[in-house]
Amino acid sequence: MATVVVTDATFDEEVRNSDVPVVVDFWAEWCGPCKQIGPILEELSDEMPGKVKVAKVDVDANQNAAMSMGVRGIPALFIFKDGEVISNRAGAAPKAALQKWIEDSI
């Protein structure tokens, strides 16, 4: 499953109302660490079909979603399950660490 682009308007529908856990990546085009983990999250999304959905929120274009989550730095990652945040982390990390974080959380 490819990553899903989420906007302020689609955040509740795609994230809070999802049937599967959702990893939300708050990022921006100018953010180097965001560009590092973007392809990793895409791979994990493809490797975990039906188990987790990966959603990307561009903080420059969707400031309301970022503000509502208290995002102060990026990349900021949140895992939602049943509409609630169950885990979060900030900054880039290697694939193995991100995969373990996701699997341990869901």
Side-chain angles (χ1 to χ4, degrees), residues 2-68:
T3 56
V4 178
V5 175
V6 175
T7 65
D8 286 341
T10 63
F11 191 85
D12 283 347
E13 175 187 341
E14 291 287 351
V15 176
R16 295 190 190 277
N17 299 332
S18 177
D19 294 340
V20 296
V22 184
V23 176
V24 182
D25 174 20
F26 288 91
W27 72 287
E29 187 63 41
W30 48 264
C31 169
C34 299
K35 289 182 179 183
Q36 275 184 307
I37 67 167
I40 295 170
L41 292 172
E42 189 82 32
E43 284 178 30
L44 291 172
S45 175
D46 290 342
E47 293 170 8
M48 303 174 81
K51 292 183 182 177
V52 69
K53 173 170 38 172
V54 177
K56 298 181 71 63
V57 179
D58 181 337
V59 297
D60 290 334
N62 301 284
Q63 295 178 3
N64 289 340
M67 285 191 320
S68 74

